[in-house]
Amino acid sequence: MVSIEVENLQLTYPLRNRPSLALRDRRIPEMTGRLRGQGRHRYVIALDGITFSLNAGDRLGLVGSNGSGKTTLLKVLYGIYPPTSGTVKVSGRVDALFNINLGFRREATGRRNIELRGLINGWTPKQISERMDEIVEFSELGEFIDLPFKSYSQGMAARLAFSVATALDPEILLMDEWIGAGDRKFQEKARARMTELAAKAGIIVLASHNHGLIKRTCSKVLELDNGRVTAFYDKIEDFKE
Amino acid sequence: MLPCTPTMRADDKMSMPPKLKDALSDIRTGLGLWRVWMALAHEDIGDQHRRTTLGPIWLLITYLSFACTFIFLFDRGHGATNYPAHVATGLLVWFFIMETLTQSATLFTREESFIKGTRLPFSVYVMRLMVRSTIRDGYALVGCLAILFVSGTTFSFAWGWSALGLLLILLTAPAAIIIIAFLGAFIPDSQFVVANSMRLGMFLTPIFWMHDGASGVRAFFYDWNPFTYFIEIVRIPVITGQMPWQAFTLCLVMCLVLWVVALTVFALLRRDLVRVL
C-alpha cells in the first residue's frame, strides 16, 4: 500500500565551529528563532514538529516562503536527510525531481543522458531500452535528443528530466518547483501525466511558489513557515492564495 | 528503481551495530549498482579529454614523459639492475596511489549536488573514483609494458605475483578512499594536507631511487613509508622474479586495518555527511 506517514519530524543542522586561525567576529549575537545555541553548539532547526500522512491518490502541494523548509521536507521524504527526531515512514517506489540538471552530463547527448539517468534511478538496461522511444517522444526533443545536453534550453532540459522521472511509473513522485521551466503546453502535458500517476494509486508531493499551479495540480496543501506547519488544507477548495 | 525508502528514525537512537548494518547495506547496494559507477567513470574519462585531439592518449604521454625523464636523468651511477623497469613499475603504482588519494579528499564535496539530490549509496561515489583511477592507470600500464619490453625485461610467470599485488592495491583503494573522503568532508583543511603529502610523497617514496642498503634518512623513508611496500609487491616480481612475501603480508595487514577503520568511519559518519556538505 502506497503511503507516507510523518510524525513529529524534526531536522536540525549542526553549525560546525571548526578550529580556525581566522579572527572571529564577536559582534554575532546569541542565536534565537531557528538558529539556536552558542559557541561550539550552534544549530539550525530546519524542520520542527511536522506531522501529516498521505495515502494513495493524494497530490500534496507544499507552499511557503523561501527558506520555509519545503525542499528540505521533500529531501527528508526522499531519504536524503535522516530526521533528527520523529519518524518518517514511506511505503512505495519513490522518484524525485529536485534539480533539472542533476545527473545530466553536459557533454553527453540527450539519449546517453537518458541511459545514465535510468541507471542512477536503478533501472536495468532492458528497462531503459524499452522506455527510450517513449521518453524521447514525451520530451518532444525530436532530433535534439542526439545533440549534447549543453545545447538544450532550460525548458528542453526540464522536459527531458520530467520525461525520465515519470517513465517508470513511480508510486511516489516528489517535485521541487522546477515544473515552471517548461512552456505552457508542456506544463499541461506534465499535469496530465501527474494526474494519471496519482490515479494509478500513487502519491505526488509538489513544492512550489506558484499557487495557481498548486491549485490546478494538487488535492491537498501543506503550508510551511520557518520549518513548522502553519496550515494543512485537506481539500484544495479551502486553500486561498 | 532503487529500493523504497525505509522507515527513518532519529539517528541519535541508533547504536553502533545498526549503523554498521546501514554502512554495510550501503556498500552492498553500491556494489550492486556497478553499471552506474562504471558508466559514470567512463563518462568522466571521456569528459576530461572530449575536446582534445589525442583524447586519453594524453594519459599515456604523461606517464611516458615522467618515466623517460626519470630514467634518463637518474640512470647514472646507480649500478642498478634494470633501472628502467624499477622506474616504470614504481611510477605505475604511484600514479594510481597519487590520483586516488588526492581526488579522495574532495570526493564528497565534488559530488555534493548528487548527494543532496539522489539516494545513490555513498559507496557508488567511492567505486566511481576507484574505477576512474584504474582506467587512467590502464593507459600508464600500456606505457609501463612498453618500457619493460624496450629495456629487455624478460617476461616470466612471476609477473603473475605483480598482478596479485595490483589486485591487493585495488582491494585496499576503496578503504583508503572512504577514510580520506570523510576526512576531507568533515575537516576541509585535510585536502591540502593530502595534496601536499602526495607531492612530497613522490620524492619520499622509492619510485626513482633505491634503498641500496643505505642508512640514514633514505633508509628511514624506505622502511617507514607504507607506500614503499605497495610499490614493491608489484615491482620486485617483475625485476627479480621473486614474490616479496614479507612486503605482501605487510600490505595485506595494512589493507585489513584500513578496511576496519573505513567501516568504522563509514558507520559513524555516513548519516551526518549530507549535513556537513
Side-chain angles (χ1 to χ4, degrees), chain A residues 39-57:
Chain A
R40 285 170 173 255
H41 304 287
R42 292 183 302 164
Y43 58 94
V44 180
I45 301 177
L47 296 170
D48 194 15
I50 309 279
T51 299
F52 68 92
S53 65
L54 298 172
N55 293 309

Side-chain angles (χ1 to χ4, degrees), chain A residues 143-156:
Chain A
E143 57 198 13
F144 274 86
I145 200 68
D146 291 311
L147 291 182
F149 183 78
K150 65 182 178 185
S151 64
Y152 293 3
S153 67
Q154 210 185 359
M156 290 161 86

Side-chain angles (χ1 to χ4, degrees), chain A residues 75 78 82 84 92 105 112, chain B residues 4 10 43 47 116 119 275:
Chain A
K75 290 187 175 183
Y78 196 37
T84 312
R105 313 282 303 199
R112 177 64 178 152
Chain B
C4 55
E43 288 293 324
D47 278 1
K116 290 184 174 175
R119 284 189 299 148
R275 292 181 192 156

Side-chain angles (χ1 to χ4, degrees), chain A residues 103-119:
Chain A
F104 285 122
R105 313 282 303 199
R106 279 176 49 76
E107 298 287 345
T109 64
R111 197 179 294 279
R112 177 64 178 152
N113 271 307
I114 293 172
E115 290 169 0
L116 292 173
R117 193 68 170 249
L119 289 174

Side-chain angles (χ1 to χ4, degrees), chain A residues 58-64 70 74 175-180 184 187-188 191 194-195 204-223 233 235-241:
Chain A
D58 286 343
R59 282 164 288 149
L60 178 72
L62 294 179
V63 296
K70 302 186 296 296
L74 283 177
M175 288 185 295
D176 188 16
E177 196 61 64
W178 68 277
I179 199 168
R184 193 153 193 89
Q187 279 186 28
E188 285 303 315
R191 194 165 64 86
M194 285 195 288
T195 310
I204 287 170
V205 184
L206 168 65
S208 179
H209 289 292
N210 185 339
H211 289 188
L213 176 70
I214 293 280
K215 279 192 162 184
R216 286 196 304 274
T217 313
C218 301
S219 56
K220 296 180 177 183
V221 174
L222 182 82
E223 196 172 278
Y233 303 96
K235 290 177 183 166
I236 192 68
E237 299 79 29
D238 299 337
F239 174 59
K240 307 289 179 203
E241 288 187 50

Side-chain angles (χ1 to χ4, degrees), chain B residues 228-242:
Chain B
T228 299
Y229 303 99
F230 283 102
I231 288 175
E232 296 295 46
I233 58 173
V234 178
R235 175 192 277 159
I236 290 177
V238 170
I239 295 176
T240 68
Q242 303 291 316

Side-chain angles (χ1 to χ4, degrees), chain A residues 16 18 75-76 78 80-85 88-90 92-93 102-103 105 107 112 119 121-122 125, chain B residues 1-2 4-5 7-8 10-11 35-36 43-44 47 50 113-114 116 119 128 186 188 271 274-276:
Chain A
R16 286 171 193 275
R18 296 191 175 95
K75 290 187 175 183
V76 172
Y78 196 37
I80 292 171
Y81 292 122
T84 312
S85 66
V88 176
K89 191 175 178 187
V90 179
R93 290 192 319 271
L102 184 75
R105 313 282 303 199
E107 298 287 345
R112 177 64 178 152
L119 289 174
N121 284 355
Chain B
M1 202 169 280
L2 291 173
C4 55
T5 316
T7 302
M8 292 180 295
D11 29 343
R35 286 193 182 92
V36 178
E43 288 293 324
D44 288 341
D47 278 1
R50 199 173 294 273
S113 63
F114 258 91
K116 290 184 174 175
R119 284 189 299 148
R128 173 186 184 177
F186 282 80
R271 284 167 65 98
V274 70
R275 292 181 192 156
V276 298

